[in-house]
C-alpha cells in the first residue's frame, strides 16, 4: 500500500507512525513544502521516502495535514494529480470552505472531508507520537459525496487508529468546533497576553503558574501559522462565540461589582457539571 | 511532634500525608467542621485522630486549610487557643484581609501567613496525595511579624515538602495572584458556561472535547465553596484583571472584524513566548 502524507508535522507525522504500525509493509511517502520537515521525518523513521506530487497518481491513500489556507489552494491540485482509485483524506480544522472549494471538482468522489479531533500544543515532526488518535473523535463531512469503496478504505484506516466516527454537515461542524475548540484557543491566548502584559517580571509568572494558570494557558503555545487561517475561514462563527463569551465575562464582573456573591456561587456551581459532561455521562437529556 | 490540620480536604490532607512521611512519629490530629471529612481522613490513614480546638494548646504546628471566608473568622479563635510555642500556618489564597484581621492579635507572632501554590481541580480528603507540594512555590507574607524560632520550624516543614519559598507583602501577593490564578479560574468557568449554554447536546461537547477544550476548562471543575470567598476578598484586583482580559478579547474580535489577520497572527505569535516563561527561562530581562 502506498500512503502519501502531505504536511509532516504533529498531525501528519503521528498518522504516519500509526500507519507504519498497522501496515508494516506500507510504503510511506512524505511531502512537505518545508524540506527540513521531510528530512527530519526521514531521520526519525516516520516516513520511508520523500516525494512530490508526481507520486500521487499511484497512491492508495493521501492524508493532508497542512494549514487550512494552504489546504484550499492545494487540494484541487492534489485531486488533479491522484489516480482514480486514490482516497484523499484531509485533517483540516474547518470544513465549510474546503467542501465548497472542491464541490464541483471532477474527482470530488476521491475526497473524504475529515477532522480528526486530536492534537497537542506542540508542532513539527519531532512532536509526532504513536497513539495520538486512539479513542479520539473523527468528524466526517459530506460522506455521501465520497465513492463508497473509498469510504470503506478510509474507515478501515480510522479503525486501525481506534478513532470514533461522527458524521456532520460542514456548516454544523464549523459552528460546533468554534465553541469547543476555536474559542478555547482565543480565551487561552488572550489570558496569556493579559498576564504577560501585567507581569513585567516573568519570574513571577513562572513562580505562581502552579495555581491553575499553566493548564488554562496551554493552548497559547499553539502555532499562529496554523491558527490564523482557521480563524479567518471560520470568522463568523468565531466572532459569535467571542461575543457570547465576552458577555458572560461582563455579567460575571457585574455580579462582583454588585457584591452578589450568591449568584457568583451559582454561576460556578452550574458550570461544575462540565465534570460529568467531560466524563461522557450526560446529566440532562436534550 | 503534635501537628494539627484544620480543614482536611485536598490541601490539608496532602499536607498531613507528607508530614507523616517526613515525621513518622508525629501525631497528626484532624479538625474539620464536616464530620464526614475527619471520619474519611481517619479511615484513609491521613490523620491519627480527630480533635477540636481543645487540642490546640499542646500543638507544635497548626496548619489551616479552610475557605478564606471561614479563615478570617476562625484564625483569631485559633490563635486564642494555641500555646505560646505553637506555630500557626495558613494556606489561604488571599493574604491582605487575613493579615489585617489578626494584625493586632496578641499572638500575631505565632502566625505565619502563607500561600502554598499547589492544588488540583479535585477536593475532599480522598483527593489528598503525597508530593502535592513538591517543587511548588510557597508565598510567605509579613515574615518579620512571626517569631524567629517559629519561622524556623515552619521553614523546616516547607523544606521537607520540597517547596520553594518566595517572600511578598500581602497586597503584592493579592495583585499577582489575581492575574495568575484568579483570572484563570474565571476565564475557565465562563468558557465552560458559554459552551454548555450553546451546546444543548452534551454528547457533542464530549465528542469534541479533545480539541483543547478539556484542559482550558479544567478549572471550571473547581469548588464554588472555595472560590466564591476568594473572589469576594480579592474583588478589586479580580475586577481589574477581568477588565483587562475583556479588553484584550474585544481587541482580538475587532481584528477579526477588520480582517486584519496579520495582527491576529502577531497577537498569537507574541503570546507564544509563554512557552519559555513556563519553562522558567525568561526571554527578556525586566
Amino acid at each position: 500500500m502506498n500512503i502519501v502524507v502531505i504536511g509532516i508535522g504533529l498531525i501528519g507525522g503521528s498518522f504516519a507512525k500509526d500507519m507504519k504500525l498497522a501496515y508494516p509493509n506500507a510504503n510511506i511517502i512524505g511531502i512537505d513544502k518545508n524540506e527540513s520537515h521531510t528530512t527530519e521525518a526521514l531521520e526519525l523513521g516516520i516516513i520511508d521516502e520523500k516525494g512530490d506530487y508526481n507520486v500521487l497518481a499511484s497512491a492508495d491513500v493521501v492524508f493532508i495535514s497542512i494549514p487550512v489556507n494552504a489546504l484550499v489552494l492545494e487540494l484541487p491540485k492534489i485531486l488533479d494529480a491522484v489516480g482514480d482509485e486514490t482516497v484523499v483524506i484531509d485533517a483540516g480544522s474547518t470544513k465549510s470552505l474546503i467542501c465548497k472549494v472542491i464541490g464541483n471538482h471532477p474527482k470530488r468522489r476521491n475526497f473524504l472531508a475529515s477532522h480528526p479531533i486530536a492534537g497537542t500544543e506542540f508542532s513539527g515532526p519531532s512532536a509526532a507520537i504513536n497513539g495520538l488518535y486512539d479513542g479520539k473523535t473523527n468528524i466526517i463531512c459530506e460522506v455521501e459525496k465520497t465513492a463508497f469503496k473509498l469510504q470503506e478504505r478510509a474507515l478501515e484506516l480510522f479503525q486501525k487508529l481506534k478513532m470514533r466516527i461522527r458524521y456532520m454537515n460542514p456548516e454544523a461542524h464549523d459552528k460546533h468546533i468554534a465553541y469547543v475548540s476555536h474559542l478555547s484557543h482565543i480565551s487561552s491566548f488572550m489570558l496569556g497576553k493579559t498576564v504577560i502584559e501585567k507581569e513585567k517580571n516573568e519570574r513571577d509568572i513562572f513562580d505562581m503558574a502552579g495555581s491553575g494558570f499553566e493548564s488554562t494557558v496551554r493552548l497559547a503555545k499553539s502555532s499562529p501559522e496554523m491558527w490564523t487561517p482557521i480563524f479567518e475561514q471560520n470568522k463568523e462563527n468565531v466572532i459569535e462565540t467571542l461575543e457570547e463569551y465576552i458577555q458572560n465575562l461582563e455579567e460575571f464582573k457585574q455580579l462582583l461589582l454588585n457584591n452578589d456573591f450568591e449568584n457568583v456561587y451559582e454561576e460556578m456551581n452550574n458550570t461544575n457539571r462540565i465534570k460529568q459532561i467531560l466524563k461522557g455521562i450526560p446529566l440532562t437529556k436534550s
Side-chain angles (χ1 to χ4, degrees), chain A residues 183-196 216-217 219-224 227 231:
Chain A
L183 178 59
S184 292
H185 282 79
I186 296 176
S187 79
S188 192
F189 270 111
M190 291 303 104
L191 179 69
K193 182 185 178 185
T194 306
V195 172
I196 288 174
T216 320
V217 85
L219 299 179
K221 301 175 186 173
S222 304
S223 152
W227 282 96
F231 295 145

mmCIF file of all heavy atoms in Angstrom, chain A residues 183-196 216-217 219-224 227 231:
data_model
loop_
_atom_site.group_PDB
_atom_site.id
_atom_site.type_symbol
_atom_site.label_atom_id
_atom_site.label_comp_id
_atom_site.label_asym_id
_atom_site.label_seq_id
_atom_site.Cartn_x
_atom_site.Cartn_y
_atom_site.Cartn_z
ATOM 1 N N LEU A 183 -12.841 28.869 20.293
ATOM 2 C CA LEU A 183 -12.974 29.806 21.425
ATOM 3 C C LEU A 183 -11.980 29.479 22.545
ATOM 4 O O LEU A 183 -11.407 30.389 23.148
ATOM 5 C CB LEU A 183 -14.416 29.785 21.959
ATOM 6 C CG LEU A 183 -14.679 30.680 23.176
ATOM 7 C CD1 LEU A 183 -14.372 32.143 22.873
ATOM 8 C CD2 LEU A 183 -16.125 30.535 23.654
ATOM 9 N N SER A 184 -11.769 28.193 22.802
ATOM 10 C CA SER A 184 -10.784 27.801 23.824
ATOM 11 C C SER A 184 -9.407 28.372 23.511
ATOM 12 O O SER A 184 -8.685 28.805 24.411
ATOM 13 C CB SER A 184 -10.646 26.274 23.895
ATOM 14 O OG SER A 184 -11.815 25.688 24.398
ATOM 15 N N HIS A 185 -9.058 28.341 22.239
ATOM 16 C CA HIS A 185 -7.735 28.843 21.859
ATOM 17 C C HIS A 185 -7.644 30.354 22.059
ATOM 18 O O HIS A 185 -6.657 30.860 22.579
ATOM 19 C CB HIS A 185 -7.405 28.447 20.416
ATOM 20 C CG HIS A 185 -6.973 27.017 20.293
ATOM 21 N ND1 HIS A 185 -7.862 25.969 20.293
ATOM 22 C CD2 HIS A 185 -5.739 26.457 20.230
ATOM 23 C CE1 HIS A 185 -7.202 24.828 20.212
ATOM 24 N NE2 HIS A 185 -5.897 25.098 20.161
ATOM 25 N N ILE A 186 -8.688 31.071 21.656
ATOM 26 C CA ILE A 186 -8.648 32.531 21.830
ATOM 27 C C ILE A 186 -8.639 32.892 23.319
ATOM 28 O O ILE A 186 -7.882 33.762 23.753
ATOM 29 C CB ILE A 186 -9.838 33.195 21.111
ATOM 30 C CG1 ILE A 186 -9.719 32.951 19.598
ATOM 31 C CG2 ILE A 186 -9.881 34.700 21.406
ATOM 32 C CD1 ILE A 186 -10.892 33.480 18.794
ATOM 33 N N SER A 187 -9.463 32.216 24.117
ATOM 34 C CA SER A 187 -9.503 32.541 25.549
ATOM 35 C C SER A 187 -8.134 32.299 26.179
ATOM 36 O O SER A 187 -7.679 33.057 27.036
ATOM 37 C CB SER A 187 -10.599 31.742 26.263
ATOM 38 O OG SER A 187 -10.193 30.426 26.516
ATOM 39 N N SER A 188 -7.462 31.276 25.711
ATOM 40 C CA SER A 188 -6.145 30.940 26.251
ATOM 41 C C SER A 188 -5.083 31.950 25.795
ATOM 42 O O SER A 188 -4.265 32.417 26.597
ATOM 43 C CB SER A 188 -5.791 29.526 25.806
ATOM 44 O OG SER A 188 -4.690 29.031 26.493
ATOM 45 N N PHE A 189 -5.101 32.296 24.509
ATOM 46 C CA PHE A 189 -4.139 33.284 24.001
ATOM 47 C C PHE A 189 -4.323 34.628 24.713
ATOM 48 O O PHE A 189 -3.350 35.262 25.121
ATOM 49 C CB PHE A 189 -4.303 33.477 22.483
ATOM 50 C CG PHE A 189 -3.459 32.557 21.649
ATOM 51 C CD1 PHE A 189 -4.025 31.544 20.890
ATOM 52 C CD2 PHE A 189 -2.072 32.703 21.620
ATOM 53 C CE1 PHE A 189 -3.233 30.689 20.121
ATOM 54 C CE2 PHE A 189 -1.275 31.858 20.847
ATOM 55 C CZ PHE A 189 -1.866 30.855 20.100
ATOM 56 N N MET A 190 -5.562 35.045 24.877
ATOM 57 C CA MET A 190 -5.786 36.357 25.494
ATOM 58 C C MET A 190 -5.489 36.330 26.995
ATOM 59 O O MET A 190 -5.056 37.325 27.567
ATOM 60 C CB MET A 190 -7.215 36.833 25.222
ATOM 61 C CG MET A 190 -7.464 37.189 23.761
ATOM 62 S SD MET A 190 -6.326 38.475 23.117
ATOM 63 C CE MET A 190 -5.193 37.494 22.132
ATOM 64 N N LEU A 191 -5.687 35.187 27.629
ATOM 65 C CA LEU A 191 -5.287 35.052 29.029
ATOM 66 C C LEU A 191 -3.775 35.206 29.145
ATOM 67 O O LEU A 191 -3.269 35.947 30.005
ATOM 68 C CB LEU A 191 -5.716 33.688 29.571
ATOM 69 C CG LEU A 191 -5.332 33.408 31.018
ATOM 70 C CD1 LEU A 191 -6.120 34.288 31.969
ATOM 71 C CD2 LEU A 191 -5.562 31.939 31.368
ATOM 72 N N GLY A 192 -3.061 34.510 28.273
ATOM 73 C CA GLY A 192 -1.602 34.629 28.268
ATOM 74 C C GLY A 192 -1.174 36.069 28.038
ATOM 75 O O GLY A 192 -0.313 36.592 28.748
ATOM 76 N N LYS A 193 -1.818 36.724 27.079
ATOM 77 C CA LYS A 193 -1.470 38.108 26.783
ATOM 78 C C LYS A 193 -1.707 39.009 28.003
ATOM 79 O O LYS A 193 -0.847 39.825 28.367
ATOM 80 C CB LYS A 193 -2.310 38.605 25.606
ATOM 81 C CG LYS A 193 -1.962 40.029 25.207
ATOM 82 C CD LYS A 193 -2.859 40.589 24.122
ATOM 83 C CE LYS A 193 -2.444 42.032 23.848
ATOM 84 N NZ LYS A 193 -3.322 42.704 22.888
ATOM 85 N N THR A 194 -2.859 38.868 28.633
ATOM 86 C CA THR A 194 -3.210 39.711 29.776
ATOM 87 C C THR A 194 -2.185 39.561 30.899
ATOM 88 O O THR A 194 -1.754 40.546 31.504
ATOM 89 C CB THR A 194 -4.622 39.339 30.288
ATOM 90 O OG1 THR A 194 -5.535 39.399 29.198
ATOM 91 C CG2 THR A 194 -5.077 40.306 31.380
ATOM 92 N N VAL A 195 -1.797 38.334 31.147
ATOM 93 C CA VAL A 195 -0.851 38.091 32.248
ATOM 94 C C VAL A 195 0.550 38.590 31.887
ATOM 95 O O VAL A 195 1.219 39.230 32.704
ATOM 96 C CB VAL A 195 -0.840 36.595 32.623
ATOM 97 C CG1 VAL A 195 0.269 36.287 33.617
ATOM 98 C CG2 VAL A 195 -2.191 36.201 33.206
ATOM 99 N N ILE A 196 0.982 38.335 30.659
ATOM 100 C CA ILE A 196 2.322 38.783 30.253
ATOM 101 C C ILE A 196 2.411 40.312 30.283
ATOM 102 O O ILE A 196 3.403 40.884 30.731
ATOM 103 C CB ILE A 196 2.668 38.261 28.829
ATOM 104 C CG1 ILE A 196 2.921 36.757 28.864
ATOM 105 C CG2 ILE A 196 3.903 38.971 28.286
ATOM 106 C CD1 ILE A 196 3.130 36.140 27.481
ATOM 107 N N THR A 216 -4.610 26.361 31.861
ATOM 108 C CA THR A 216 -5.542 27.256 31.176
ATOM 109 C C THR A 216 -4.865 27.955 30.009
ATOM 110 O O THR A 216 -5.506 28.315 29.030
ATOM 111 C CB THR A 216 -6.092 28.290 32.170
ATOM 112 O OG1 THR A 216 -6.339 27.642 33.411
ATOM 113 C CG2 THR A 216 -7.383 28.900 31.679
ATOM 114 N N VAL A 217 -3.553 28.159 30.127
ATOM 115 C CA VAL A 217 -2.847 28.914 29.102
ATOM 116 C C VAL A 217 -2.109 27.982 28.127
ATOM 117 O O VAL A 217 -1.452 28.438 27.213
ATOM 118 C CB VAL A 217 -1.882 29.916 29.787
ATOM 119 C CG1 VAL A 217 -0.554 29.269 30.118
ATOM 120 C CG2 VAL A 217 -1.691 31.167 28.945
ATOM 121 N N LEU A 219 -2.970 26.240 25.582
ATOM 122 C CA LEU A 219 -3.238 26.397 24.148
ATOM 123 C C LEU A 219 -2.587 27.645 23.556
ATOM 124 O O LEU A 219 -2.476 27.761 22.334
ATOM 125 C CB LEU A 219 -4.742 26.431 23.887
ATOM 126 C CG LEU A 219 -5.520 25.176 24.295
ATOM 127 C CD1 LEU A 219 -7.000 25.363 24.013
ATOM 128 C CD2 LEU A 219 -5.006 23.948 23.566
ATOM 129 N N ALA A 220 -2.159 28.569 24.420
ATOM 130 C CA ALA A 220 -1.476 29.776 23.923
ATOM 131 C C ALA A 220 -0.071 29.449 23.408
ATOM 132 O O ALA A 220 0.635 30.316 22.901
ATOM 133 C CB ALA A 220 -1.407 30.844 25.013
ATOM 134 N N LYS A 221 0.323 28.178 23.525
ATOM 135 C CA LYS A 221 1.584 27.738 22.936
ATOM 136 C C LYS A 221 1.374 27.312 21.476
ATOM 137 O O LYS A 221 2.331 26.979 20.785
ATOM 138 C CB LYS A 221 2.154 26.547 23.716
ATOM 139 C CG LYS A 221 2.410 26.826 25.194
ATOM 140 C CD LYS A 221 2.864 25.541 25.908
ATOM 141 C CE LYS A 221 3.001 25.728 27.400
ATOM 142 N NZ LYS A 221 3.284 24.432 28.074
ATOM 143 N N SER A 222 0.136 27.302 21.027
ATOM 144 C CA SER A 222 -0.179 26.772 19.691
ATOM 145 C C SER A 222 0.405 27.632 18.577
ATOM 146 O O SER A 222 0.704 28.801 18.767
ATOM 147 C CB SER A 222 -1.697 26.673 19.515
ATOM 148 O OG SER A 222 -2.273 25.884 20.533
ATOM 149 N N SER A 223 0.489 27.020 17.402
ATOM 150 C CA SER A 223 1.143 27.647 16.260
ATOM 151 C C SER A 223 0.264 28.707 15.583
ATOM 152 O O SER A 223 -0.836 28.406 15.100
ATOM 153 C CB SER A 223 1.488 26.542 15.248
ATOM 154 O OG SER A 223 1.509 27.054 13.941
ATOM 155 N N PRO A 224 0.738 29.957 15.516
ATOM 156 C CA PRO A 224 -0.014 31.013 14.818
ATOM 157 C C PRO A 224 -0.176 30.719 13.323
ATOM 158 O O PRO A 224 -1.180 31.102 12.728
ATOM 159 C CB PRO A 224 0.847 32.263 15.013
ATOM 160 C CG PRO A 224 1.780 31.944 16.124
ATOM 161 C CD PRO A 224 1.981 30.472 16.106
ATOM 162 N N TRP A 227 -3.236 28.574 13.225
ATOM 163 C CA TRP A 227 -4.491 29.099 13.770
ATOM 164 C C TRP A 227 -5.018 30.349 13.068
ATOM 165 O O TRP A 227 -6.233 30.560 13.022
ATOM 166 C CB TRP A 227 -4.367 29.298 15.292
ATOM 167 C CG TRP A 227 -4.509 27.959 15.953
ATOM 168 C CD1 TRP A 227 -3.513 27.119 16.347
ATOM 169 C CD2 TRP A 227 -5.742 27.271 16.187
ATOM 170 N NE1 TRP A 227 -4.048 25.950 16.825
ATOM 171 C CE2 TRP A 227 -5.413 26.017 16.743
ATOM 172 C CE3 TRP A 227 -7.089 27.569 15.988
ATOM 173 C CZ2 TRP A 227 -6.383 25.080 17.102
ATOM 174 C CZ3 TRP A 227 -8.062 26.642 16.350
ATOM 175 C CH2 TRP A 227 -7.694 25.408 16.896
ATOM 176 N N PHE A 231 -9.045 30.837 12.051
ATOM 177 C CA PHE A 231 -9.916 31.933 12.488
ATOM 178 C C PHE A 231 -10.452 32.704 11.283
ATOM 179 O O PHE A 231 -11.574 33.184 11.294
ATOM 180 C CB PHE A 231 -9.165 32.871 13.440
ATOM 181 C CG PHE A 231 -8.770 32.225 14.745
ATOM 182 C CD1 PHE A 231 -7.575 32.560 15.385
ATOM 183 C CD2 PHE A 231 -9.589 31.282 15.344
ATOM 184 C CE1 PHE A 231 -7.216 31.970 16.586
ATOM 185 C CE2 PHE A 231 -9.242 30.679 16.555
ATOM 186 C CZ PHE A 231 -8.044 31.021 17.169
#
